[in-house]
């Protein structure tokens, strides 16, 4: 960690984010305060970013449901309601520090200078002016900031949507030019594969922003992509670590330090929530891909893996196969059926027992044999590959859903062999 | 009610304040919204001021007690915590209006322009800049404002202390130049005496600010003095009325309209929480009153009724008798014992079975017989008067606590005879 001299002292500015389960009770809040103080180095400046206590947000939504079935239609008022959750946490955590003799002060998102757009319940950070945060740090306070929230131009409260507290923390770390941003979670880092599926999954010491983003896009749930993007934008190292232990976790950063360059790939990601749609026997004329996918785009449905293959070269008839998220399947089917009719397709087939397994790693760029090793591992395990797609730093295979666990393990064993 | 023309329409601007018990559940919040809409005249502009739901404030204090035994020592953080209570209510009430088809918007105290000093948990309003409130009213919204709160110069949240929501409502009505401020409570107005004690107590149609302040000072609990002072300052009529009925309540204003001038006194107030202290047999030299009462003032103890009487004119020895609030008695006794020792007093006697009964009315100013009628009524009921004190618009008598109920009724019967 970069440490700098300030008023003659060697000190660091660290942003630490604790989620809702870490502050679910007053006892847990006291534990967070004690833990932070036990790790604090003399002269360190610390900014805490916290979420609402445990189920508070759900409780507030239940209250709103007592007024109306669909409270989110009143998005501005939902933000007015939901922002109280973090406000309660920050007040209590600041009290906890003070009761332990540590000067501390709580600031709401707006007080900390978090300026957002006006898209209520799904706001995006536009600008951060953390003048007050600096002032309070300079007075010797630990500054406790409400995550997940900011204010728009006219001062209305806006929440940041899913993963918002992580985004708050990383963005604030960026604006403060912090030395690092620590995200405390119930997992202790980023693993080479989901530890619930792969027994030998390894905790990575480091991973790049790009790789983490690709892992998240391909199904790994540790960090929301927005906060990783924010880290990349500000070039702030994000340390993902456990609430429950003192062990180091995984640092998401621009590039590796030497020691951690051992593996050409960083992880095996998987996604079970995919479905395959095949439009069979359509005339292979210019514009048919456009016809299908623009109809889906209009319906706001993301299409992922796409394969076009020739069914009958003499009749110039082709098949179009692609995947969508399971959640979008029903609507996608409707859209595709209509287009297929128009194109005189032979049939539209749906397959739901599919899953996507992917490898991610910036190292594969200069290593041409990686794809072959992945396919080989699947082949050796008797797993058939349905569709293949690639990006700059990832390769994905669509396999049978029932074979997913086997597939993830086979690939993981290939790239992360068990230590002898 | 004064009604004025605005953009060619006959309209009124009304501030309505609902307390915590009126918004204790989402069902009650819906009822408040429905009631307000049912009474709303076309073109009326309405500002709602609401408190936290039911026991919310107590629940938040309980949470804080989970962190520390004395959370109020961290007053700024308590304000950060407690202000969430009203924020929840305003969001839900705004949703309730919207779900009934009425455009509405919630504003926190600071958003509504409530500027306070920085005395956390006991803040006072310094200034109100209700620009946003006017803007939202002009858009056709019912504006729902969080009571009990504001922000200080640096934007920190400050609560107003006891009765704060009433004060918010009246002050906001003043700053908005509202036509009236309606305070909805669980009583339906201001009575000529406590209806729990006097069966024939009458609801007053009107009462002046001065009289209401004097009633409050002398024990009547309907309105906190601060909000009445605020109404007087802005000359805003305060309509105290019931949450549960549509009947008119009592209007607190500068002066009466003709019809309601029937009674020379406005009410009979009483206070059971008083105790009498008698310092007997002290030398009647200049400065002894100063000696006793400056010692009490230093200990921050309010002294109420004071009588000095000659015990022995030859020895020039005197008795000093006065009352204090029961809550202050223990400390007052300590202070007085010390002074009495110094003055070689014969004894210090304490009497706790005392109570104060008072009559209040601006009408007594030009009516010299009022005091005599009060004493006569007590005498006829065989009630002994211990101490008498008077102000411009009130007369108070100290009586035996066990005779208080009788005393209040005797005086009330004298001035408010039962209708034939």
């Amino acid at each position: 960690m970069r440490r700098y001299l300030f008023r003659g002292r060697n000190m660091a500015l660290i942003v630490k984010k604790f989620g809702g389960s870490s502050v679910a009770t007053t006892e847990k809040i006291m534990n967070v305060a004690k833990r932070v103080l036990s790790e604090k180095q003399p002269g360190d400046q610390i900014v805490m970013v916290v979420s609402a206590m445990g189920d508070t947000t759900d409780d507030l939504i239940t209250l709103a449901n007592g007024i109306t079935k669909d409270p989110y239609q009143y998005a501005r008022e939902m933000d007015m309601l939901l922002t109280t959750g973090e406000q309660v946490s920050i007040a209590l955590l600041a009290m906890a520090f003070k009761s332990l003799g540590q000067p501390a002060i709580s600031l709401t998102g707006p007080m900390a200078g978090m300026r957002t757009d006006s898209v209520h319940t799904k706001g995006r950070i536009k600008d951060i002016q953390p003048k007050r945060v600096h002032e309070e740090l300079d007075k010797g306070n630990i500054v406790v900031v409400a995550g997940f929230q900011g204010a728009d131009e006219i001062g209305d409260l806006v929440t940041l949507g899913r993963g918002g507290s992580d985004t708050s923390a990383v963005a604030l770390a960026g604006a403060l030019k912090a030395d690092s941003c620590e995200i405390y979670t119930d997992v202790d880092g980023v693993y080479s594969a989901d530890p619930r599926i792969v027994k030998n999954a390894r905790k990575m010491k480091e991973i790049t922003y790009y790789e983490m983003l690709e892992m998240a896009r391909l199904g790994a749930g540790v960090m929301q992509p927005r906060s990783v993007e924010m880290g990349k934008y500000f070039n702030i190292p994000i340390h993902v670590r456990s609430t429950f232990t003192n062990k180091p976790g995984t640092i998401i950063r621009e590039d590796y330090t030497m020691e951690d360059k051992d593996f050409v790939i960083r992880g095996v990601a998987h996604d079970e929530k995919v479905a395959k749609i095949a439009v069979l026997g359509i005339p292979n004329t210019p514009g048919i891909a456009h016809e299908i996918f623009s109809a889906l785009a209009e319906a706001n449905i993301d299409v992922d893996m796409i394969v076009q293959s020739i069914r009958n070269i003499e009749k110039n008839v082709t098949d179009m196969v692609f995947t969508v998220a399971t959640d979008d399947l029903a609507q996608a089917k409707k859209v595709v059926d209509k287009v297929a009719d128009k194109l005189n397709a032979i049939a539209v087939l749906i397959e739901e027992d599919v899953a996507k397994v992917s490898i991610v790693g910036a190292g594969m760029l200069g290593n041409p044999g990686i794809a072959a090793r992945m396919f080989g591992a699947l082949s050796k395990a008797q797993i058939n590959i349905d569709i293949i797609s690639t990006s700059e730093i990832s390769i994905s295979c669509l396999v049978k859903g029932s074979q997913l666990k086997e597939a993830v393990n086979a690939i993981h064993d290939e790239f992360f062999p068990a230590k002898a």
Side-chain angles (χ1 to χ4, degrees), chain A:
Chain A
M1 183 186 300
R2 172 171 64 94
R3 298 180 79 89
Y4 57 95
L5 282 173
F6 180 74
R7 292 178 188 162
R9 285 183 305 167
N10 182 24
M11 62 197 300
L13 199 167
I14 309 166
V15 175
K16 293 168 183 267
K17 182 257 167 179
F18 285 84
S21 56
S22 306
V23 292
T25 63
T26 50
E27 200 189 340
K28 287 186 176 180
I29 289 174
M30 282 304 293
N31 287 341
V32 165
K34 283 176 194 160
R35 185 210 166 134
V36 167
L37 290 182
S38 75
E39 290 185 354
K40 184 177 182 292
Q41 300 295 316
D44 277 356
Q45 293 193 320
I46 293 176
V47 175
M48 306 288 296
V49 174
V50 286
S51 307
M53 293 172 75
D55 303 324
T56 307
T57 303
D58 289 338
D59 293 346
L60 290 169
I61 294 171
T62 304
L63 257 185
N65 281 324
I67 298 287
T68 172
K69 271 185 196 164
D70 175 21
Y72 275 96
Q73 67 183 301
Y74 311 126
R76 182 193 177 279
E77 301 307 329
M78 275 310 273
D79 280 351
M80 181 65 88
L81 182 69
L82 295 179
T83 46
T84 62
E86 288 76 32
Q87 198 174 321
V88 168
S89 316
I90 58 171
L92 295 176
L93 182 54
M95 283 183 198
F97 279 121
K98 287 163 92 78
S99 75
L100 295 168
Q102 166 65 51
I105 190 166
S106 65
L107 299 178
T108 63
M111 286 178 189
M114 307 291 283
R115 178 74 83 74
T116 65
D117 60 19
S118 296
V119 185
H120 286 288
T121 73
K122 288 171 201 154
R124 295 188 80 91
I125 297 168
K126 279 179 70 177
D127 181 40
I128 304 178
Q129 298 290 346
K131 185 169 161 278
R132 180 84 190 269
V133 180
H134 280 301
E135 285 169 10
E136 298 298 344
L137 287 171
D138 288 346
K139 286 182 201 162
N141 282 311
I142 286 186
V143 181
V144 185
V145 177
F148 184 64
Q149 59 176 242
D152 68 6
E153 213 162 352
I154 56 168
D156 277 356
L157 293 160
V158 176
T159 63
L160 302 179
R162 233 179 123 196
S165 288
D166 286 359
T167 311
S168 297
V170 179
L172 189 56
L176 290 168
K177 300 191 172 47
D179 295 277
S180 85
C181 179
E182 300 177 351
I183 307 284
Y184 290 79
T185 69
D186 45 10
V187 298
D188 61 355
V190 180
Y191 276 74
S192 57
D194 186 336
R196 287 167 301 186
I197 289 193
V198 176
K199 219 185 66 188
N200 295 321
R202 300 188 194 181
K203 190 169 72 184
M204 310 307 291
K205 283 185 199 155
E206 295 177 315
I207 186 168
T208 66
Y209 300 120
Y210 265 129
E211 289 167 335
M212 191 69 235
L213 284 170
E214 193 71 359
M215 291 282 280
R217 185 180 75 84
L218 295 171
V222 185
M223 289 282 291
Q224 283 287 315
R226 277 174 67 192
S227 50
V228 181
E229 275 164 16
M230 201 65 86
K232 183 168 156 29
Y233 177 78
F234 285 112
N235 195 17
I236 290 287
I238 302 172
H239 188 174
V240 180
R241 55 189 301 201
S242 165
T243 311
F244 313 110
T245 75
N246 288 319
K247 283 187 290 189
T250 302
I251 297 177
I252 311 172
R253 55 166 36 137
E254 189 61 36
D255 205 354
Y256 310 118
T257 56
M258 287 300 287
E259 59 197 313
D260 212 29
K261 282 196 170 167
D262 296 351
F263 305 106
V264 285
I265 75 163
R266 283 287 122 179
V268 183
H270 68 272
D271 190 351
E272 290 174 283
K273 295 189 146 189
V274 293
K276 187 176 85 170
I277 300 180
V279 189
L280 305 180
I282 40 178
N284 189 15
T285 53
I288 55 144
H290 175 75
E291 191 111 18
I292 294 173
F293 298 119
S294 65
L296 287 163
E298 255 168 57
N300 217 9
I301 294 165
D302 265 335
V303 173
D304 185 13
M305 309 172 98
I306 302 174
V307 181
Q308 184 174 355
S309 60
I310 304 302
R311 163 169 285 262
N312 185 324
I313 202 159
E314 279 153 34
K315 291 185 183 163
N316 198 23
V317 162
T318 189
D319 296 344
M320 189 72 78
V321 183
F322 55 89
T323 61
V324 296
T326 308
D327 288 346
D328 290 335
L329 181 61
Q331 216 204 329
K333 174 83 163 68
K334 269 191 217 162
V335 173
V336 171
D337 278 344
K338 210 176 276 179
V339 181
D341 254 14
K342 207 171 127 195
L343 298 174
N344 282 317
I346 297 173
V348 175
L349 298 182
I350 301 293
E351 197 174 335
E352 293 193 68
D353 178 31
V354 291
K356 188 168 64 170
V357 57
S358 310
I359 56 174
V360 175
M364 68 176 64
L365 273 165
N367 274 301
I370 303 292
R373 278 174 70 189
M374 180 186 191
F375 305 150
L378 289 174
S379 152
K380 216 189 296 171
Q382 306 281 334
I383 294 165
N384 202 38
I385 302 172
D386 198 345
I387 311 182
I388 297 167
S389 69
T390 60
S391 83
E392 243 185 314
I393 60 165
S394 71
I395 306 170
S396 301
C397 295
L398 196 72
V399 299
K400 273 213 174 311
S402 52
Q403 291 184 304
L404 176 67
K405 197 177 162 180
E406 249 180 293
V408 173
N409 273 289
I411 296 169
H412 191 270
D413 285 349
E414 171 64 29
F415 291 100
F416 300 90
K419 285 162 197 161

